[in-house]
């Protein structure tokens, strides 16, 4: 399992000034979220290996959690995810947001990567009605062909390292 804590990565424009006003507040907020996520992960999934990519060298981490250097210079927020997946010490990686609370053992989730190269949570945006003449759009519900796109929630994203996923990460960045 991977987490990223890039305090040097600027928050996206829509996030700036909304949750915290100082770097100290930002560090405290994200450090607390990481601590809670690690606590819930360790209590439910003690056999899972964990690494935290961070640009904060003094960040206290529990015993057994690997600290890996996150290079934040010139990357945007999703760039942290790409960087962590590209540099993961694990063949099979699950990257999670810091604000997760793990409620049950995650070991079985890695079985998805036996048959698939990637796994993620699909998060459809609010439906945007399309003209009725578009094939498959019945307007009887949000998923009857009326969505213009589907988004992946990168807060729970799994990847198996191989040439195809390396190519995916190259295209993504």
């Amino acid at each position: 399992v991977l987490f990223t804590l890039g305090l040097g990565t600027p928050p996206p424009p829509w996030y700036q000034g909304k949750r915290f006003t100082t770097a100290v507040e930002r560090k405290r907020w994200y450090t607390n979220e990481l601590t809670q996520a690690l606590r819930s992960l360790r209590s439910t999934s003690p056999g899972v290996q964990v690494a935290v990519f961070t640009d904060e060298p003094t960040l206290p981490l529990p015993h057994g959690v690997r600290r890996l250097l996150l290079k934040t210079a010139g990357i945007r927020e999703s760039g942290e995810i790409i960087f962590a997946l590209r540099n993961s010490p694990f063949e099979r990686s699950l990257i999670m947001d810091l604000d997760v609370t793990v409620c049950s053992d995650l070991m079985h989730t890695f079985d998805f990567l036996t048959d698939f190269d990637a796994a993620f949570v699909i998060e459809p945006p609010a439906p945007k009605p399309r003209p009725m003449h578009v094939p498959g759009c019945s307007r009887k519900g949000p998923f009857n062909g009326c969505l213009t796109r589907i988004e992946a929630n990168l807060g729970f994203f799994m990847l198996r390292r191989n040439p195809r996923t390396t190519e995916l990460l190259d295209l993504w960045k």
Side-chain angles (χ1 to χ4, degrees):
V1 173
L2 305 173
F3 292 98
T4 64
L5 178 60
L7 296 172
T9 305
W14 63 87
Y15 218 59
Q16 292 175 359
K18 294 195 172 135
R19 187 173 283 179
F20 19 70
T21 56
T22 69
V24 172
E25 287 176 0
R26 182 173 186 234
K27 179 179 178 180
R28 187 179 313 123
W29 178 274
Y30 285 127
T31 301
N32 286 339
E33 283 192 334
L34 175 62
T35 300
Q36 291 171 13
L38 289 171
R39 188 177 298 128
S40 70
L41 179 64
R42 282 292 182 222
S43 69
T44 60
S45 308
V48 172
Q49 295 182 46
V50 183
V52 175
F53 281 88
T54 184
D55 56 359
E56 178 56 50
T58 62
L59 180 71
L61 293 175
H63 177 72
V65 175
R66 295 185 199 186
R67 175 193 316 272
L68 301 168
L69 178 63
L70 176 64
K71 297 178 183 176
T72 56
I75 66 171
R76 54 186 165 63
E77 185 179 20
S78 62
E80 289 182 9
I81 294 168
I82 297 166
F83 181 88
L85 289 169
R86 288 182 67 80
N87 295 284
S88 173
F90 314 124
E91 180 186 338
R92 298 172 184 211
S93 297
L94 163 60
I95 191 160
M96 293 192 299
D97 280 345
L98 297 179
D99 62 353
V100 300
T101 299
V102 181
C103 298
S104 64
D105 194 346
L106 292 177
M107 284 301 287
H108 72 281
T109 61
F110 290 94
D111 293 342
F112 285 110
L113 297 179
T114 301
D115 298 319
F116 301 98
D117 293 330
F120 52 90
V121 175
I122 293 176
E123 190 171 278
K128 297 178 183 175
R130 296 191 312 194
M132 286 300 288
H133 66 274
V134 174
C137 184
S138 66
R139 293 210 183 162
K140 292 181 181 174
F143 304 107
N144 292 338
C146 295
L147 292 176
T148 57
R149 63 193 168 110
I150 298 291
E151 295 180 354
N153 182 331
L154 298 180
F156 192 94
F157 190 88
M158 301 180 77
L159 203 67
R160 177 175 49 169
R161 184 178 310 143
N162 62 41
R164 290 193 324 216
T165 56
T166 299
E167 182 181 358
L168 169 69
L169 294 173
D170 287 343
L171 292 170
W172 190 1
K173 69 177 181 174

